[in-house]
mmCIF file of all heavy atoms in Angstrom:
data_model
loop_
_atom_site.group_PDB
_atom_site.id
_atom_site.type_symbol
_atom_site.label_atom_id
_atom_site.label_comp_id
_atom_site.label_asym_id
_atom_site.label_seq_id
_atom_site.Cartn_x
_atom_site.Cartn_y
_atom_site.Cartn_z
ATOM 1 N N PRO A 124 23.667 120.799 96.028
ATOM 2 C CA PRO A 124 22.990 120.795 97.333
ATOM 3 C C PRO A 124 22.361 119.455 97.715
ATOM 4 O O PRO A 124 22.270 119.129 98.901
ATOM 5 C CB PRO A 124 21.920 121.888 97.203
ATOM 6 C CG PRO A 124 21.844 122.219 95.755
ATOM 7 C CD PRO A 124 23.145 121.852 95.136
ATOM 8 N N GLY A 125 21.977 118.653 96.725
ATOM 9 C CA GLY A 125 21.367 117.354 97.026
ATOM 10 C C GLY A 125 22.329 116.362 97.649
ATOM 11 O O GLY A 125 21.913 115.337 98.197
ATOM 12 N N ALA A 126 23.634 116.652 97.583
ATOM 13 C CA ALA A 126 24.642 115.709 98.076
ATOM 14 C C ALA A 126 24.978 115.904 99.553
ATOM 15 O O ALA A 126 25.771 115.144 100.105
ATOM 16 C CB ALA A 126 25.916 115.852 97.239
ATOM 17 N N VAL A 127 24.405 116.929 100.191
ATOM 18 C CA VAL A 127 24.741 117.189 101.604
ATOM 19 C C VAL A 127 23.473 117.342 102.444
ATOM 20 O O VAL A 127 22.368 117.513 101.920
ATOM 21 C CB VAL A 127 25.606 118.459 101.757
ATOM 22 C CG1 VAL A 127 26.985 118.267 101.156
ATOM 23 C CG2 VAL A 127 24.928 119.679 101.169
ATOM 24 N N ASP A 128 23.659 117.267 103.768
ATOM 25 C CA ASP A 128 22.558 117.472 104.714
ATOM 26 C C ASP A 128 22.350 118.983 104.857
ATOM 27 O O ASP A 128 23.103 119.668 105.548
ATOM 28 C CB ASP A 128 22.934 116.840 106.065
ATOM 29 C CG ASP A 128 21.864 117.037 107.126
ATOM 30 O OD1 ASP A 128 20.940 117.861 106.913
ATOM 31 O OD2 ASP A 128 21.960 116.384 108.184
ATOM 32 N N LEU A 129 21.321 119.496 104.189
ATOM 33 C CA LEU A 129 21.130 120.952 104.127
ATOM 34 C C LEU A 129 20.668 121.548 105.454
ATOM 35 O O LEU A 129 20.887 122.728 105.717
ATOM 36 C CB LEU A 129 20.161 121.308 103.002
ATOM 37 C CG LEU A 129 20.738 121.090 101.599
ATOM 38 C CD1 LEU A 129 19.674 121.250 100.541
ATOM 39 C CD2 LEU A 129 21.898 122.046 101.324
ATOM 40 N N GLU A 130 20.047 120.724 106.285
ATOM 41 C CA GLU A 130 19.683 121.217 107.616
ATOM 42 C C GLU A 130 20.953 121.471 108.445
ATOM 43 O O GLU A 130 21.065 122.458 109.168
ATOM 44 C CB GLU A 130 18.781 120.205 108.326
ATOM 45 C CG GLU A 130 17.714 120.882 109.163
ATOM 46 C CD GLU A 130 16.571 119.935 109.515
ATOM 47 O OE1 GLU A 130 15.926 119.389 108.596
ATOM 48 O OE2 GLU A 130 16.359 119.756 110.720
ATOM 49 N N LYS A 131 21.905 120.558 108.304
ATOM 50 C CA LYS A 131 23.194 120.732 108.976
ATOM 51 C C LYS A 131 23.896 121.991 108.461
ATOM 52 O O LYS A 131 24.475 122.756 109.237
ATOM 53 C CB LYS A 131 24.080 119.505 108.736
ATOM 54 C CG LYS A 131 25.459 119.606 109.411
ATOM 55 C CD LYS A 131 26.342 118.405 109.100
ATOM 56 C CE LYS A 131 27.718 118.570 109.725
ATOM 57 N NZ LYS A 131 28.626 117.470 109.366
ATOM 58 N N VAL A 132 23.834 122.206 107.154
ATOM 59 C CA VAL A 132 24.453 123.393 106.550
ATOM 60 C C VAL A 132 23.837 124.668 107.148
ATOM 61 O O VAL A 132 24.554 125.608 107.511
ATOM 62 C CB VAL A 132 24.290 123.380 105.012
ATOM 63 C CG1 VAL A 132 24.769 124.697 104.401
ATOM 64 C CG2 VAL A 132 25.054 122.209 104.407
ATOM 65 N N ALA A 133 22.503 124.682 107.280
ATOM 66 C CA ALA A 133 21.820 125.855 107.862
ATOM 67 C C ALA A 133 22.310 126.111 109.280
ATOM 68 O O ALA A 133 22.604 127.250 109.658
ATOM 69 C CB ALA A 133 20.306 125.640 107.834
ATOM 70 N N ASN A 134 22.431 125.044 110.069
ATOM 71 C CA ASN A 134 22.893 125.197 111.450
ATOM 72 C C ASN A 134 24.336 125.690 111.527
ATOM 73 O O ASN A 134 24.673 126.517 112.380
ATOM 74 C CB ASN A 134 22.742 123.876 112.213
ATOM 75 C CG ASN A 134 21.307 123.626 112.637
ATOM 76 O OD1 ASN A 134 20.610 124.534 113.079
ATOM 77 N ND2 ASN A 134 20.841 122.399 112.492
ATOM 78 N N VAL A 135 25.171 125.180 110.634
ATOM 79 C CA VAL A 135 26.580 125.605 110.590
ATOM 80 C C VAL A 135 26.658 127.116 110.311
ATOM 81 O O VAL A 135 27.398 127.855 110.966
ATOM 82 C CB VAL A 135 27.349 124.807 109.508
ATOM 83 C CG1 VAL A 135 28.661 125.503 109.145
ATOM 84 C CG2 VAL A 135 27.627 123.389 109.995
ATOM 85 N N ILE A 136 25.868 127.584 109.349
ATOM 86 C CA ILE A 136 25.898 129.006 108.975
ATOM 87 C C ILE A 136 25.386 129.877 110.115
ATOM 88 O O ILE A 136 25.979 130.914 110.443
ATOM 89 C CB ILE A 136 25.105 129.243 107.670
ATOM 90 C CG1 ILE A 136 25.848 128.608 106.489
ATOM 91 C CG2 ILE A 136 24.885 130.739 107.424
ATOM 92 C CD1 ILE A 136 25.093 128.628 105.181
ATOM 93 N N VAL A 137 24.289 129.449 110.772
ATOM 94 C CA VAL A 137 23.756 130.245 111.891
ATOM 95 C C VAL A 137 24.749 130.256 113.051
ATOM 96 O O VAL A 137 25.033 131.319 113.626
ATOM 97 C CB VAL A 137 22.374 129.725 112.350
ATOM 98 C CG1 VAL A 137 21.894 130.500 113.581
ATOM 99 C CG2 VAL A 137 21.347 129.853 111.229
ATOM 100 N N ASP A 138 25.280 129.094 113.397
ATOM 101 C CA ASP A 138 26.252 129.018 114.507
ATOM 102 C C ASP A 138 27.426 129.974 114.268
ATOM 103 O O ASP A 138 27.853 130.697 115.168
ATOM 104 C CB ASP A 138 26.794 127.590 114.666
ATOM 105 C CG ASP A 138 25.778 126.648 115.304
ATOM 106 O OD1 ASP A 138 24.838 127.137 115.956
ATOM 107 O OD2 ASP A 138 25.929 125.417 115.128
ATOM 108 N N HIS A 139 27.935 129.948 113.038
ATOM 109 C CA HIS A 139 29.095 130.782 112.733
ATOM 110 C C HIS A 139 28.720 132.265 112.747
ATOM 111 O O HIS A 139 29.510 133.109 113.191
ATOM 112 C CB HIS A 139 29.671 130.393 111.369
ATOM 113 C CG HIS A 139 31.099 130.786 111.194
ATOM 114 N ND1 HIS A 139 32.123 130.212 111.908
ATOM 115 C CD2 HIS A 139 31.677 131.732 110.400
ATOM 116 C CE1 HIS A 139 33.274 130.769 111.556
ATOM 117 N NE2 HIS A 139 33.030 131.695 110.644
ATOM 118 N N SER A 140 27.516 132.574 112.292
ATOM 119 C CA SER A 140 27.052 133.968 112.284
ATOM 120 C C SER A 140 26.941 134.540 113.690
ATOM 121 O O SER A 140 27.182 135.724 113.909
ATOM 122 C CB SER A 140 25.694 134.076 111.581
ATOM 123 O OG SER A 140 25.827 133.761 110.217
ATOM 124 N N LEU A 141 26.567 133.700 114.656
ATOM 125 C CA LEU A 141 26.424 134.171 116.033
ATOM 126 C C LEU A 141 27.778 134.430 116.691
ATOM 127 O O LEU A 141 27.851 135.126 117.708
ATOM 128 C CB LEU A 141 25.631 133.153 116.874
ATOM 129 C CG LEU A 141 24.178 132.936 116.461
ATOM 130 C CD1 LEU A 141 23.503 131.934 117.374
ATOM 131 C CD2 LEU A 141 23.398 134.238 116.456
ATOM 132 N N GLN A 142 28.838 133.876 116.107
ATOM 133 C CA GLN A 142 30.172 134.044 116.690
ATOM 134 C C GLN A 142 31.026 135.050 115.930
ATOM 135 O O GLN A 142 31.991 135.578 116.478
ATOM 136 C CB GLN A 142 30.908 132.686 116.687
ATOM 137 C CG GLN A 142 30.286 131.660 117.611
ATOM 138 C CD GLN A 142 30.710 130.241 117.271
ATOM 139 O OE1 GLN A 142 31.645 130.031 116.512
ATOM 140 N NE2 GLN A 142 30.021 129.266 117.822
ATOM 141 N N ASP A 143 30.677 135.302 114.680
ATOM 142 C CA ASP A 143 31.526 136.117 113.817
ATOM 143 C C ASP A 143 30.686 137.213 113.162
ATOM 144 O O ASP A 143 29.968 136.973 112.198
ATOM 145 C CB ASP A 143 32.163 135.201 112.752
ATOM 146 C CG ASP A 143 33.113 135.942 111.816
ATOM 147 O OD1 ASP A 143 33.070 137.173 111.771
ATOM 148 O OD2 ASP A 143 33.902 135.258 111.132
ATOM 149 N N CYS A 144 30.777 138.427 113.709
ATOM 150 C CA CYS A 144 29.932 139.520 113.215
ATOM 151 C C CYS A 144 30.292 139.947 111.793
ATOM 152 O O CYS A 144 29.441 140.451 111.065
ATOM 153 C CB CYS A 144 29.979 140.708 114.170
ATOM 154 S SG CYS A 144 28.829 140.509 115.567
ATOM 155 N N VAL A 145 31.540 139.745 111.391
ATOM 156 C CA VAL A 145 31.921 140.071 110.011
ATOM 157 C C VAL A 145 31.189 139.124 109.054
ATOM 158 O O VAL A 145 30.605 139.550 108.054
ATOM 159 C CB VAL A 145 33.455 139.972 109.816
ATOM 160 C CG1 VAL A 145 33.828 140.169 108.351
ATOM 161 C CG2 VAL A 145 34.153 141.009 110.693
ATOM 162 N N PHE A 146 31.195 137.840 109.381
ATOM 163 C CA PHE A 146 30.490 136.854 108.547
ATOM 164 C C PHE A 146 28.983 137.115 108.554
ATOM 165 O O PHE A 146 28.318 137.010 107.524
ATOM 166 C CB PHE A 146 30.787 135.434 109.052
ATOM 167 C CG PHE A 146 30.073 134.366 108.266
ATOM 168 C CD1 PHE A 146 30.472 134.049 106.980
ATOM 169 C CD2 PHE A 146 28.995 133.686 108.815
ATOM 170 C CE1 PHE A 146 29.808 133.059 106.248
ATOM 171 C CE2 PHE A 146 28.329 132.703 108.093
ATOM 172 C CZ PHE A 146 28.731 132.395 106.805
ATOM 173 N N SER A 147 28.420 137.467 109.729
ATOM 174 C CA SER A 147 26.963 137.657 109.832
ATOM 175 C C SER A 147 26.468 138.782 108.921
ATOM 176 O O SER A 147 25.319 138.785 108.503
ATOM 177 C CB SER A 147 26.542 137.928 111.279
ATOM 178 O OG SER A 147 26.962 139.204 111.702
ATOM 179 N N LYS A 148 27.358 139.737 108.589
ATOM 180 C CA LYS A 148 26.967 140.844 107.707
ATOM 181 C C LYS A 148 26.789 140.404 106.267
ATOM 182 O O LYS A 148 26.137 141.084 105.479
ATOM 183 C CB LYS A 148 28.039 141.949 107.741
ATOM 184 C CG LYS A 148 28.087 142.726 109.032
ATOM 185 C CD LYS A 148 29.228 143.728 109.002
ATOM 186 C CE LYS A 148 29.364 144.404 110.362
ATOM 187 N NZ LYS A 148 30.552 145.250 110.451
ATOM 188 N N GLU A 149 27.401 139.277 105.897
ATOM 189 C CA GLU A 149 27.380 138.838 104.500
ATOM 190 C C GLU A 149 26.775 137.452 104.305
ATOM 191 O O GLU A 149 26.684 136.974 103.181
ATOM 192 C CB GLU A 149 28.806 138.849 103.930
ATOM 193 C CG GLU A 149 29.394 140.249 103.790
ATOM 194 C CD GLU A 149 28.633 141.116 102.784
ATOM 195 O OE1 GLU A 149 27.967 140.555 101.901
ATOM 196 O OE2 GLU A 149 28.704 142.350 102.902
ATOM 197 N N ALA A 150 26.387 136.801 105.397
ATOM 198 C CA ALA A 150 25.917 135.415 105.295
ATOM 199 C C ALA A 150 24.663 135.288 104.432
ATOM 200 O O ALA A 150 24.418 134.243 103.830
ATOM 201 C CB ALA A 150 25.659 134.848 106.695
ATOM 202 N N GLY A 151 23.858 136.334 104.371
ATOM 203 C CA GLY A 151 22.638 136.291 103.564
ATOM 204 C C GLY A 151 22.912 135.977 102.104
ATOM 205 O O GLY A 151 22.152 135.262 101.456
ATOM 206 N N ARG A 152 24.028 136.495 101.612
ATOM 207 C CA ARG A 152 24.397 136.246 100.212
ATOM 208 C C ARG A 152 24.643 134.756 99.970
ATOM 209 O O ARG A 152 24.195 134.176 98.978
ATOM 210 C CB ARG A 152 25.664 137.052 99.888
ATOM 211 C CG ARG A 152 26.063 137.061 98.447
ATOM 212 C CD ARG A 152 27.445 137.681 98.303
ATOM 213 N NE ARG A 152 27.505 139.030 98.829
ATOM 214 C CZ ARG A 152 27.204 140.128 98.129
ATOM 215 N NH1 ARG A 152 26.809 140.014 96.885
ATOM 216 N NH2 ARG A 152 27.308 141.318 98.666
ATOM 217 N N MET A 153 25.343 134.126 100.915
ATOM 218 C CA MET A 153 25.609 132.690 100.798
ATOM 219 C C MET A 153 24.306 131.893 100.916
ATOM 220 O O MET A 153 24.063 130.952 100.145
ATOM 221 C CB MET A 153 26.603 132.245 101.877
ATOM 222 C CG MET A 153 27.004 130.782 101.756
ATOM 223 S SD MET A 153 28.055 130.223 103.114
ATOM 224 C CE MET A 153 29.566 131.091 102.768
ATOM 225 N N CYS A 154 23.461 132.265 101.872
ATOM 226 C CA CYS A 154 22.178 131.558 102.049
ATOM 227 C C CYS A 154 21.319 131.665 100.797
ATOM 228 O O CYS A 154 20.717 130.676 100.358
ATOM 229 C CB CYS A 154 21.425 132.128 103.254
ATOM 230 S SG CYS A 154 22.216 131.761 104.837
#
Side-chain angles (χ1 to χ4, degrees):
V127 292
D128 178 347
L129 290 171
E130 217 162 302
K131 180 183 177 184
V132 173
N134 282 319
V135 163
I136 291 173
V137 176
D138 285 340
H139 202 68
S140 294
L141 295 181
Q142 293 161 13
D143 182 344
C144 277
V145 174
F146 179 73
S147 71
K148 289 176 186 173
E149 292 296 337
R152 188 190 302 273
M153 184 185 290
C154 291

